[in-house]
Amino acid sequence: MKPAPFDYARPSTLDEALGLLAGHGASARVLAGGQSLLPQMALRQVRPRLLVDVNRVPELGTRTTADGELRLGATVRQAAALRAGSGAGLLDAALPWVGNPGTRSRGTLVGSLCAADPAAELPTVLLATGGSLEVRSAAGSRTVAAAELYRGPGRTALAPDELVVAATFPLDAADTRSAWLEFGHRPGDLPLVGVGVVAQVRDGLVDGVRVACAGVHDVPWSVPVGDLPGAADRGLAREVAEAAARECSPADDHRTTAAHRRVLVRTLVRRALEQVLRPDGEEATDAA
Ligand SMILES: Cc1cc2nc3c(=O)[nH]c(=O)nc-3n(C[C@H](O)[C@H](O)[C@H](O)COP(=O)(O)OP(=O)(O)OC[C@H]3O[C@@H](n4cnc5c(N)ncnc54)[C@H](O)[C@@H]3O)c2cc1C
């Protein structure tokens, strides 16, 4: 199919872009890399009357690090972020799993975060790292934390006139360890389940851990890990993995069953935790 007719605008300043979004409300859509939006338009799942192409707005293309944070502008491509390395270990671990070289060369990180696919890697990375979005509209600016962002498949807390200008990820501290693991039908497919872990490990003791899953619920899921000070060992990994498998409530869909997803949650959470918690050099177990 072909998209329904639409108008196209390519502003060259941020104010111009915000003015267009303010003037057209829900009938306009921001166009970044087009890797989600254009297929959705071709299938007529969405029918914007105006596309606001933000790729020529210079300040949206910057990548900076300051005050312990990595800030990636809205038009920074996934491939560019992957090449540069980020200093946020979980992001670096997950990016190679996002799509394929073709989609990564056009697709932006912010576009993926805004597309809000529950199985996508980057929204779950944002949640696991405690990152946020910097949002602007003609009326002002605000910061939206990952935990507040997602409302359902394809739905976010962003208003139609709001433009995400950048995504911000905390940079790793010296004792930060992270891992991304996922399982899908084919390389480059969205995963059936993806798991991101970020932990602080000091002298063999866990001093804070976040675990988040993609593909399990309607929105990225933060696994409740409770209060977990303790030895960084396999017992801890098993305990959290069992709790995650118990607490999750996945659904059957055309790609797999809820029971399969639960098994994947248990296995991937355990393996990802073992990977970050094991002392340097120790091999992780492969037993499921
Ligand atoms: C073959 C193929 C395989 C794929 N595999 C994967 C995969 O394995 N994992 C994965 O996560 N994704 C996958 N995708 C999806 C795709 O990679 C990402 O969703 C995509 O990169 C989104 O970024 P974009 O810049 O292309 O966004 P666009 O498609 O331009 O925009 C996506 C949505 O976000 C909105 N948006 C974009 N930028 C902003 C902004 N600055 N402010 C407000 N709203 C904004 C748009 O209006 C639109 O609704 C795949 C896509 C294809 C075509």
Side-chain angles (χ1 to χ4, degrees):
M1 280 176 77
K2 289 183 178 167
F6 61 91
D7 291 328
Y8 172 82
R10 194 168 63 190
S12 51
T13 67
L14 188 54
D15 283 345
E16 205 186 325
L18 297 177
L20 285 163
L21 293 174
H24 291 82
S27 66
R29 283 286 182 121
V30 175
L31 174 68
Q35 298 301 299
S36 289
L37 184 57
L38 296 184
Q40 285 174 345
M41 287 172 62
L43 293 169
R44 305 212 173 185
Q45 292 167 346
V46 293
R47 297 174 183 223
R49 286 207 287 276
L50 174 68
L51 286 191
V52 180
D53 179 346
V54 294
N55 286 288
R56 296 285 173 92
V57 178
E59 61 261 54
L60 299 182
T62 58
R63 173 195 182 281
T64 52
T65 54
D67 303 325
E69 289 185 334
L70 168 72
R71 182 182 181 280
L72 295 165
T75 59
V76 174
R77 308 290 158 185
Q78 295 157 8
L82 185 57
R83 269 196 308 277
S86 71
L90 185 61
L91 181 59
D92 292 336
L95 268 171
W97 294 89
V98 179
N100 56 53
T103 63
R104 289 196 296 268
S105 72
R106 287 299 305 158
T108 63
L109 291 98
V110 166
S112 174
L113 295 169
C114 293
D117 191 313
E121 288 86 358
L122 298 181
T124 296
V125 168
L126 194 74
L127 183 64
T129 55
S132 60
L133 296 185
E134 213 178 295
V135 180
R136 290 277 303 273
S137 70
S141 57
R142 65 181 181 128
T143 300
V144 182
E148 313 299 326
L149 180 61
Y150 294 107
R151 298 283 163 87
R155 291 192 299 118
T156 67
L158 301 172
D161 66 336
E162 286 186 314
L163 176 72
V164 176
V165 292
T168 301
F169 297 85
L171 291 168
D172 288 351
D175 57 5
T176 303
R177 298 188 196 173
S178 49
W180 177 267
L181 294 180
E182 68 176 59
F183 182 88
H185 288 307
R186 295 175 310 183
D189 278 359
L190 285 160
L192 299 177
V193 173
V195 171
V197 173
V198 182
Q200 266 64 48
V201 183
R202 282 191 198 108
D203 303 324
L205 292 177
V206 182
D207 187 19
V209 58
R210 286 179 202 248
V211 181
C213 296
V216 178
H217 294 161
D218 275 2
V219 296
W221 180 48
S222 185
V223 176
V225 292
D227 193 13
L228 269 185
D233 59 21
R234 293 216 173 103
L236 188 60
R238 270 195 299 274
E239 204 182 301
V240 176
E242 287 304 327
R246 241 186 353 261
E247 299 279 327
C248 69
S249 42
D252 294 329
D253 64 18
H254 66 286
R255 298 207 303 151
T256 195
T257 61
H260 184 207
R261 284 205 164 87
R262 199 180 293 278
V263 170
L264 290 173
V265 167
R266 180 185 292 111
T267 304
L268 295 176
V269 168
R270 181 178 55 70
R271 288 185 184 174
L273 275 163
E274 285 180 352
Q275 204 168 309
V276 300
L277 299 182
R278 71 176 186 258
D280 291 341
E282 189 188 323
E283 292 299 318
T285 167
D286 272 328

